[in-house]
Amino acid sequence: MSPVSLPANRLLVAALSLLLTRLSCSSLSVPDIPHIAAYFGTKTRYEEVNPHLLRDVFSVNASVLKPPPTERCSPVHLTAVIRHGSRYPTVKNIRRIQKLSELVRREASRGSAEGWLQDIQSRWEMWYTEDMDGQLVMKGREDLRQLAGRLSVLFPSLLSEENLRRISFLSSSKHRCVSSVEAFQEGLQRRWGRSEVEYGHEVDDELMRFFERCRGYVEGVEKNRTALQEVEKFKHGEEMEGVRRRTAERLGLPHHRLTPDLVEAAFFLCSYELSIKSLHSPWCFLFDESDAKVLEYKSDLKQYWKRSHGHVISSLSSCPLFHHVFRTLDKAGRPRRATEASPEPASILVGHAETLLPLLSLLGLYKDKTPPTASNYHSQHSKKPRPRPDVQSETRMRQLFFRFGNGRVLQEGVSGPARLFHTPPTSSSFCTTASEAPGCSCLSTRPRFDSQGWSLRMPRCTGTSGPRTATCWTAATSTGSARGGPVAGRQTPNSERKWVKPQGPDQT
């Protein structure tokens, strides 16, 4: 038998780094940046939450990856799940913008002393056309090129020219995602000094658009009129009504002529002009900071109740992607014989906000103790910081495998400095099914991951569950915060479930 290449005194550890940042941080004090730029939610420019990139687009914070000084380690594999770059509005929003611009030109007050209103009526042109329909803009393409450059600075041994043909690239079929994965490859190859770019990627909607294929999600959330009732209540509630009334007054329009959808269209216009053209649009002056916070919260409610923790099925719909990511990490981390090929150095997956948010929710991240609702806007905004997963352009989830000497350390960086946790020296087992279950009940126990340092060990599976064959695989380590109950369709005896808490106060 050939010897394996992983020494016995070494431990392979998975490091999970979710570099997501809160969007309600202060905007740069630069005249060309709107005063409400920090409240655009999923339409926020990456520079607003990472202002150091305005000085150097390839600036990175390598400190989040540093192991303890007594450890020697090297990266083995990188998996990055990335949202597409900045895009044009979809057809639905373009039509709303068209309707808004016609209304303002036709019925808004003339001769106003407000210069921004004169600019809207006489100088601003409706340049959005329906054929743009969510396509990637040049700024979004450049975002992905620069992201590729930053990751290659952080992981030069993995994202190297020699490894190009061994790096896997997966994308959603949507044109903005395909264009983004191409731009990422351009960024890598330009970094290496190549004049001609070679493209090579696969389209996989089962992984990157799993939400369309999960019957439980489609029927229970997407097509369920009551699933977003909190969003609808807030949309027609006191706070939104106040924003609508103030906006109509600033435009000199009768209140009934300006619907909540048109108010939101004006807010989106401000964000689009900034993210696409880096312009401070005159539409931005329609809103003060309190208005922007209300509109941001309305967007937060939609993300929460449609794609995040609001409904369990939303997170469970991401099981296929969750399994794929950890199978990839498991394959990279297995001991191998000297004659076996090395694992792929990196896996780059490009999808949507709808791809990332359910996955983050399945990992148990950014879950409020008190769910956001239409009636608790003020109490939610009093929290500092608010635990919410904003998914602005270029948001990504990175998972890393490091090979350590004798250490047993999980390094995790979530929205800030890395935190270190000691983990058991044994592998954790995760149970999956060979095919998706009806309603997406594809986990026997829901894994939960957060910054509290919990380790969740799941039992090995044997046999079958109904018509589905159960399969098992292992990942080196995992962290979680809560004890997830069994999911319908799969039963695991309580005696086989083990939760290991390495340190910190007891929580559930």
Side-chain angles (χ1 to χ4, degrees), residues 384-445:
K384 296 181 180 181
R386 290 170 57 209
R388 59 194 183 90
D390 296 306
V391 188
Q392 73 281 358
S393 298
E394 202 191 310
T395 290
R396 72 270 191 189
M397 184 183 83
R398 296 194 320 212
Q399 296 187 325
L400 302 168
F401 260 171
F402 285 92
R403 181 174 292 122
F404 285 84
N406 294 317
R408 295 178 298 182
V409 178
L410 173 62
Q411 179 176 320
E412 178 181 300
V414 182
S415 298
R419 286 172 284 271
L420 300 179
F421 304 102
H422 294 287
T423 57
T426 56
S427 293
S428 301
S429 299
F430 296 83
C431 302
T432 70
T433 57
S435 61
E436 181 188 352
C440 306
S441 301
C442 52
L443 286 179
S444 62
T445 305

Side-chain angles (χ1 to χ4, degrees), residues 234-461:
F234 190 78
K235 180 178 178 179
H236 301 285
E238 179 183 350
E239 289 82 9
M240 277 293 294
E241 177 60 23
V243 174
R244 187 179 72 87
R245 184 178 61 254
R246 289 188 294 273
T247 305
E249 289 173 353
R250 289 165 188 153
L251 288 170
L253 290 170
H255 295 177
H256 71 277
R257 297 291 287 143
L258 197 65
T259 66
D261 286 340
L262 293 183
V263 172
E264 195 170 49
F267 188 64
F268 287 165
L269 252 177
C270 177
S271 69
Y272 288 134
E273 307 272 86
L274 180 64
S275 63
I276 296 173
K277 292 187 172 182
S278 297
L279 292 178
H280 189 161
S281 172
W283 293 96
C284 300
F285 293 98
L286 267 174
F287 308 99
D288 59 25
E289 189 173 1
S290 62
D291 297 331
K293 287 180 178 179
V294 171
L295 290 162
E296 178 199 38
Y297 187 74
K298 193 257 184 184
S299 177
D300 284 353
L301 281 178
K302 181 179 179 181
Q303 302 299 336
Y304 183 90
W305 290 101
K306 187 173 184 179
R307 301 181 179 112
S308 186
H309 294 289
H311 302 285
V312 173
I313 193 63
S314 299
S315 60
L316 291 181
S317 68
S318 70
C319 283
L321 179 58
F322 173 87
H323 295 158
H324 171 84
V325 168
F326 279 91
R327 285 192 187 106
T328 302
L329 293 174
D330 180 41
K331 184 178 179 181
R334 286 177 186 154
R336 62 184 185 280
R337 304 184 188 284
T339 56
E340 293 179 327
S342 300
E344 64 183 19
S347 175
I348 310 298
L349 303 94
V350 180
H352 310 264
E354 296 90 336
T355 309
L356 272 165
L357 281 172
L359 181 59
L360 295 176
S361 301
L362 186 64
L363 296 175
L365 289 164
Y366 299 96
K367 185 172 184 180
D368 241 327
K369 290 182 179 179
T370 303
T373 65
S375 60
N376 64 3
Y377 164 75
H378 293 288
S379 61
Q380 287 287 332
H381 260 280
S382 66
K383 298 177 182 179
K384 296 181 180 181
R386 290 170 57 209
R388 59 194 183 90
D390 296 306
V391 188
Q392 73 281 358
S393 298
E394 202 191 310
T395 290
R396 72 270 191 189
M397 184 183 83
R398 296 194 320 212
Q399 296 187 325
L400 302 168
F401 260 171
F402 285 92
R403 181 174 292 122
F404 285 84
N406 294 317
R408 295 178 298 182
V409 178
L410 173 62
Q411 179 176 320
E412 178 181 300
V414 182
S415 298
R419 286 172 284 271
L420 300 179
F421 304 102
H422 294 287
T423 57
T426 56
S427 293
S428 301
S429 299
F430 296 83
C431 302
T432 70
T433 57
S435 61
E436 181 188 352
C440 306
S441 301
C442 52
L443 286 179
S444 62
T445 305
R446 291 180 63 200
R448 298 290 186 89
F449 297 75
D450 75 357
S451 60
Q452 300 301 318
W454 282 75
S455 289
L456 170 63
R457 187 178 299 160
M458 303 178 78
R460 289 185 175 277
C461 308

